[in-house]
Amino acid sequence: MMDRLREGVNSIAVKIILGLIILSFVFAGVGNYIIGGSNNAAAKVGNTEIGRNAFEQAYQNERNRMQSQMGDYFANLLADPTYVQSFRKSVLDRMINDVLIEQYADSLGLRISDDQIRTEILRMEPFQNDGKFDQEIYAASLRRAGFTADSFAEYMRREMTRAQVTTALQASEFILDNEVEGQSKLLTQTRDIRTISLNPEEFAKNVELTDEELQDYYKQNAPAYTRPEQAKVSYIELSAQALKDQMEVTEEEATQYYNENTDKYSSEEQRELSHILVIGDDEAKAQAILDKLNAGADFAETATTDSEDIGSAEQGGSLGWVEKGVMDADFETAAFALKNVGDVSGLVKSSFGYHIIKLDGLKESQTKPFAEVEAQIKADLADQKAVERFYELQTELEKVAFEFPDSLDDAAEATGQKVVHTDFISQVEAPAILSTPTVMQAILSPEVKDEGLNSEVMEVAPEHVIVVRVEETRDETLLPFDEVKDQVVEALSKVKGEQKALELANTVLDALKSGNEATLAENGLEFGDQETIDRSSPLANVVFAMPKPTEGTVSFDQTKDFQGNVVLVELSKVNTNADASFATQIGAQMARSNVQQDLDAILKVLRENADIEYYVIDSQP
């Protein structure tokens, strides 16, 4: 069996892909994605269907990955149906692209052999211990990921087949030395500058404003001083997480649960195995090896010389510690039928050939003591009780909020929850719990906003619901000038301060470009110390667009920095001494960019010529 499961190709692209496969072990159920396909298709690419189950699993994996990276921000994005549809389509499009590349690879006659897969598995670092392939780690990794041995091999075959397309593109891609040198000079170029910074806030301090100017600015920018439509909102929030703190779990309950579920806290029986494999149907060869063992030959030495499983043969036939559910069914039945350490099986036929199996060690199933798992059991039972209580209270909340639609007080009393009241808030000012699209849509609905009825009970997250009502509203209105005068003064002063800073900068810049440097002293300005900047500088966009000054001259321009200051720039020198240490890195980057462009171009053509049908993108599991 190991014969079919340890393959690969020796290329950077494939190793990257295989690394991503290992990362996918974080998410349960990847096996379903590999096996894929069902009559209920998510999409069809030519004659190839992408199964609905495969798509939903891939979507869930990607959703989990994004959730772990972005947290609550991503959860808020998922509250928008439009975003969810776009997100789901992006996942399905990637799966379609994978199928297109597989079909393209097949049309080119690209294939991955069993030996390649086997070799690569032996090399994969996540499966190694002290620099050697470890069968126990390998088996445990597959089990955690939901892989069977065959499905993992098939998944690798598909990934590596697609990778061959990238490898072929890499092999055909080349970058000339002068291209790398030119790009290196551009990317590593630095420029010597001096700057003068003009702060608009300093100019704003000396601005004089008339009432007429203030009134005109107020009228011209009325939206800035318009109070949006607002409402006072009341709501009841119910969540299992909040209820968890109220749940009590006795030691008796925890003990009873432990006794009824000891399998959850018990390790699987493990067996340390060695085997000798003869690939195919050569029973005579396998029998000859067995006869040699029965005559007293050492098993490990015989495995090293005679076994055709390259990976285990190098270890004297050792497969390490194995649990049930990992190996080939016929192999497993025979292996777990061995009674005593040192026992050797007869010939065992599997789909990979003939095995001779030796039992090297036994680890019986062990149960963790109650004291070791008591805290976890109590936490799990508290979660379970909280969820059960949540659904009881949710049912009561839905019932009472509907039966007494003119107030939340009855619903609060029935569920033991408090009613939260907001002051006047707009959509922008709404707290996070009210700002999700579903809840905000309910608040703005005629039944809730205009008729003053309770909303439906809405789910904002798993085991987390809310019901809202609008107590009072006030229309959008332009605030009186006197009420916002200070804001108007501050805003107009800032505008005029920036105008004065720009006017001075333009005046000085024109004078400098015409050779009149005396304008600096006339306006009390001077350039700061020289500094050398690269393309990571905040001023890079302007500075690197300035013309290169000729020998003995300087050039000038102006820009704004991130703080809003107006900045005058003097460029005195362009440094183009490329750092040779970056040449290899830059060349590789250019090659990767070109390969990606080639791959995008291929996918574009493949999509244009393929019959692609989408069946599912907007529905959710």
Side-chain angles (χ1 to χ4, degrees):
M1 178 182 61
M2 304 312 301
D3 182 45
R4 293 237 359 233
L5 300 177
R6 304 169 184 159
E7 304 182 318
V9 290
N10 188 19
S11 74
I12 294 175
V14 171
K15 290 184 181 297
I16 291 173
I17 289 175
L18 293 175
L20 293 175
I21 296 174
I22 301 306
L23 289 178
S24 75
F25 287 172
V26 176
F27 307 114
V30 182
N32 291 334
Y33 173 74
I34 319 163
I35 299 169
S38 71
N39 291 331
N40 187 9
K44 189 175 182 181
V45 186
N47 294 324
T48 303
E49 287 187 348
I50 296 174
R52 170 68 179 267
N53 290 341
F55 164 64
E56 296 297 356
Q57 185 63 60
Y59 164 70
Q60 194 62 48
N61 288 348
E62 182 66 9
R63 176 172 170 164
N64 291 344
R65 186 183 70 81
M66 295 291 288
Q67 183 73 56
S68 67
Q69 289 182 352
M70 302 171 66
D72 291 341
Y73 177 73
F74 184 68
N76 290 333
L77 289 177
L78 291 179
D80 182 355
T82 302
Y83 176 82
V84 171
Q85 182 175 355
S86 174
F87 181 60
R88 286 169 64 80
K89 185 175 185 297
S90 70
V91 173
L92 188 53
D93 277 336
R94 285 198 294 273
M95 296 179 75
I96 289 172
N97 287 346
D98 286 347
V99 172
L100 288 169
I101 292 298
E102 286 175 26
Q103 293 175 345
Y104 180 61
D106 185 65
S107 71
L108 296 176
L110 301 179
R111 300 289 186 272
I112 296 293
S113 70
D114 291 347
D115 285 340
Q116 286 176 301
I117 296 177
R118 182 184 66 191
T119 302
E120 189 59 37
I121 289 181
L122 289 173
R123 293 174 179 171
M124 290 171 69
E125 186 175 347
F127 296 153
Q128 295 192 358
N129 183 18
D130 293 332
K132 295 181 179 179
F133 176 81
D134 189 307
Q135 170 66 24
E136 186 174 356
I137 294 175
Y138 168 75
S141 298
L142 262 63
R143 184 173 60 255
R144 286 197 304 272
F147 279 116
T148 65
D150 288 341
S151 65
F152 182 60
E154 180 58 27
Y155 185 41
M156 287 188 64
R157 190 185 308 281
R158 292 170 58 190
E159 292 289 334
M160 294 166 68
T161 300
R162 289 198 297 267
Q164 284 190 327
V165 176
T166 305
T167 303
L169 291 175
Q170 288 176 326
S172 64
E173 189 63 52
F174 63 91
I175 306 294
L176 298 176
D177 290 343
N178 63 339
E179 291 181 292
V180 175
E181 181 182 3
Q183 188 73 357
S184 297
K185 287 182 177 180
L186 284 175
L187 294 177
T188 61
Q189 183 186 105
T190 61
R191 297 196 167 201
D192 296 340
I193 64 169
R194 297 192 301 163
T195 61
I196 297 172
S197 183
L198 305 177
N199 187 348
E201 292 183 1
E202 294 299 319
F203 289 85
K205 294 177 181 178
N206 301 318
V207 169
E208 295 183 0
L209 303 173
T210 66
D211 287 341
E212 183 179 359
E213 288 177 316
L214 291 171
Q215 288 283 356
D216 287 343
Y217 187 82
Y218 167 73
K219 294 174 183 177
Q220 292 168 6
N221 296 274
Y225 307 106
T226 298
R227 184 183 66 208
E229 179 182 18
Q230 295 179 321
K232 286 185 177 181
V233 179
S234 298
Y235 63 92
I236 297 175
E237 184 180 1
L238 181 65
S239 75
Q241 183 61 39
L243 291 171
K244 181 180 177 180
D245 296 335
Q246 304 172 19
M247 300 297 108
E248 294 184 4
V249 179
T250 66
E251 185 165 343
E252 290 74 18
E253 289 176 313
T255 302
Q256 180 181 351
Y257 184 85
Y258 172 78
N259 291 333
E260 294 175 351
N261 297 275
T262 53
D263 58 313
K264 290 186 178 181
Y265 310 104
S266 301
S267 62
E268 293 284 343
E269 175 191 355
Q270 292 184 326
R271 295 190 165 215
E272 187 178 16
L273 302 173
S274 297
H275 83 145
I276 297 171
L277 172 67
V278 175
I279 297 174
D281 296 322
D282 194 344
E283 182 177 0
K285 181 177 180 181
Q287 185 62 50
I289 296 173
L290 180 59
D291 292 342
K292 182 167 38 172
L293 292 172
N294 290 335
D298 181 78
F299 191 96
E301 292 179 0
T302 304
T304 301
T305 57
D306 295 348
S307 179
E308 295 178 1
D309 179 2
I310 297 175
S312 67
E314 295 173 356
Q315 310 298 321
S318 176
L319 296 174
W321 290 95
V322 176
E323 297 176 2
K324 286 186 176 180
V326 174
M327 313 300 281
D328 176 90
D330 295 322
F331 181 100
E332 183 176 281
T333 298
F336 279 82
L338 297 174
K339 300 297 184 182
N340 303 308
V341 173
D343 285 355
V344 176
S345 73
L347 297 184
V348 178
K349 184 71 169 70
S350 77
S351 57
F352 304 104
Y354 287 93
H355 305 263
I356 304 169
I357 308 168
K358 180 186 176 186
L359 179 60
D360 297 322
L362 275 172
K363 286 183 183 178
E364 298 294 339
S365 174
Q366 294 183 342
T367 303
K368 294 180 180 179
F370 173 74
E372 187 176 330
V373 296
E374 179 181 2
Q376 183 59 50
I377 289 176
K378 287 184 175 181
D380 291 342
L381 288 178
D383 282 337
Q384 181 179 321
K385 284 187 172 185
V387 170
E388 291 173 354
R389 183 60 177 156
F390 166 80
Y391 284 111
E392 292 173 1
L393 291 178
Q394 179 184 0
T395 300
E396 188 68 13
L397 181 63
E398 291 172 341
K399 174 185 174 184
V400 179
F402 177 76
E403 291 178 349
F404 300 92
D406 298 323
S407 171
L408 290 175
D409 294 339
D410 296 287
E413 183 178 353
T415 58
Q417 306 302 305
K418 67 177 182 179
V419 181
V420 180
H421 304 280
T422 73
D423 197 352
F424 278 110
I425 56 171
S426 66
Q427 292 188 49
V428 176
E429 302 163 332
I433 189 66
L434 301 180
S435 61
T436 62
T438 300
V439 177
M440 188 55 65
Q441 184 178 1
I443 292 173
L444 298 176
S445 68
E447 295 82 3
V448 177
K449 175 188 166 189
D450 300 328
E451 299 177 24
L453 302 178
N454 296 337
S455 73
E456 295 180 348
V457 175
M458 298 165 285
E459 184 181 59
V460 293
E463 283 89 44
H464 189 178
V465 297
I466 186 174
V467 56
V468 301
R469 64 175 291 102
V470 174
E471 304 289 358
E472 187 178 349
T473 62
R474 59 186 183 188
D475 295 333
E476 176 181 285
T477 183
L478 177 63
L479 298 172
F481 174 77
D482 290 340
E483 189 175 327
V484 296
K485 183 176 180 179
D486 290 345
Q487 299 175 38
V488 177
V489 170
E490 181 182 357
L492 184 54
S493 296
K494 184 177 180 180
V495 170
K496 286 188 170 288
E498 185 174 356
Q499 289 174 347
K500 288 185 174 295
L502 286 170
E503 288 171 2
L504 177 58
N506 288 332
T507 299
V508 172
L509 183 62
D510 291 342
L512 291 173
K513 286 183 175 180
S514 64
N516 179 14
E517 295 190 6
T519 187
L520 294 173
E522 293 171 2
N523 289 281
L525 302 174
E526 65 175 323
F527 283 103
D529 295 336
Q530 179 178 294
E531 58 180 317
T532 300
I533 68 168
D534 58 23
R535 294 182 183 274
S536 65
S537 168
L539 303 178
N541 284 344
V542 168
V543 173
F544 280 82
M546 294 172 66
K548 179 180 179 180
T550 57
E551 186 69 30
T553 67
V554 295
S555 57
F556 302 95
D557 208 335
Q558 74 173 56
T559 185
K560 283 186 179 181
D561 62 19
F562 290 158
Q563 289 73 43
N565 299 319
V566 179
V567 181
L568 288 166
V569 181
E570 175 196 81
L571 172 63
S572 58
K573 186 179 180 182
V574 175
N575 307 302
T576 57
N577 294 326
D579 188 339
S581 64
F582 289 105
T584 301
Q585 179 181 346
I586 291 172
Q589 184 181 25
M590 293 174 67
R592 285 195 300 270
S593 177
N594 289 350
V595 169
Q596 186 59 52
Q597 291 178 15
D598 293 342
L599 190 59
D600 290 342
I602 289 173
L603 281 169
K604 181 180 179 181
V605 173
L606 292 175
R607 277 184 167 270
E608 289 174 351
N609 291 282
D611 183 12
I612 301 173
E613 298 179 68
Y614 290 83
Y615 301 134
V616 126
I617 50 174
D618 54 354
S619 61
Q620 298 187 51

